[in-house]
Amino acid sequence: MGYALRRIFAGLSACALLAVTAAAPAEAYLFWAQPALKGQPVNGDEPGLTAPLAGANPKEIKANLLWAMRAGLNVAALQCQFAPGLRVVENYNAILRQHSAELQVAYATLSAYFKRTGGKTWQTKLDQYTTRTYNGFSTLNAQLTFCETAATIGRDAQDTPAGKLTTLATVRMREFRNSLIPINDAGLITGSSGLPNLGLPALDCIDRKGRDCKS
């Protein structure tokens, strides 16, 4: 191996060392360091958090919040299968089994809301609400943060006692929404190359002895 290539590989090894040093705890699967996404607990009626329900009572607001989190985890189960280690499908199926009673109550509450407010077209309005709720978690540029966050919420949901999933939604929903905003990996130094400047030689200007011909 030539001198120049040895310098390049040595530099890349140093880059890897820096990245490992900056790595976050083991729960970060798609990032060297998990971006800061956490937010304050929510009530459920904050603007931009869920599909709005005009005139909803507190019980309906909480049902909407829980149903939105479930929808987001469902979208993740479909969109995040490129990273099997996140186990988003397994997480989602486990949540449906473990928290089925609470989810059924939430759906019944939402159905009652649309029957109360939607008149004869309540079923159509419920279907439209469901579509809006799912579409609200559609993302491309922020897919990594969305999938990583959905995976951690899925794991937390399995550690949550039956009947307390709505409480988890109040704690994690702001973070779930924040995960849809594109953000850089906190463990990487941003720049034109995406790598720290370690004084590597210019690949297009090296002489036969491995020296930088620009120096």
Side-chain angles (χ1 to χ4, degrees), residues 21-163:
T21 301
E27 64 267 15
Y29 181 79
L30 299 178
F31 296 90
W32 289 111
Q34 182 73 18
L37 302 172
K38 294 186 182 299
Q40 295 297 318
V42 299
N43 294 320
D45 56 355
E46 292 84 350
L49 192 67
T50 62
L53 298 181
N57 61 43
K59 182 179 179 181
E60 292 162 345
I61 290 171
K62 293 301 184 185
N64 188 23
L65 179 67
L66 176 56
W67 202 250
M69 187 178 77
R70 184 212 61 84
L73 295 174
N74 190 182
V75 171
L78 297 172
Q79 292 187 355
C80 304
Q81 296 182 39
F82 66 89
L86 293 178
R87 298 181 61 81
V88 287
V89 175
E90 294 87 344
N91 288 345
Y92 180 68
N93 289 336
I95 292 167
L96 292 184
R97 292 190 297 268
Q98 181 175 338
H99 297 284
S100 60
E102 189 173 359
L103 291 170
Q104 288 172 6
V105 169
Y107 186 75
T109 300
L110 291 169
S111 297
Y113 165 83
F114 283 100
K115 289 178 181 178
R116 176 170 61 84
T117 62
K120 294 181 179 180
T121 61
W122 73 269
Q123 184 64 62
T124 298
K125 292 179 179 179
L126 174 59
D127 293 341
Q128 292 170 342
Y129 155 82
T130 300
T131 300
R132 289 196 305 272
T133 300
Y134 275 91
N135 288 344
F137 286 95
S138 178
T139 182
L140 179 61
N141 294 330
Q143 191 174 35
L144 297 185
T145 49
F146 170 68
C147 292
E148 184 86 70
T149 304
T152 63
I153 293 174
R155 292 195 294 269
D156 282 354
Q158 293 176 71
D159 292 333
T160 300

Side-chain angles (χ1 to χ4, degrees), residues 48-51 68 132-133 135-138 149 172-181:
L49 192 67
T50 62
R132 289 196 305 272
T133 300
N135 288 344
F137 286 95
S138 178
T149 304
R172 299 296 303 273
M173 195 62 184
R174 178 60 67 191
E175 179 184 357
F176 210 2
R177 281 296 177 199
N178 289 345
S179 75
L180 297 170
I181 303 171

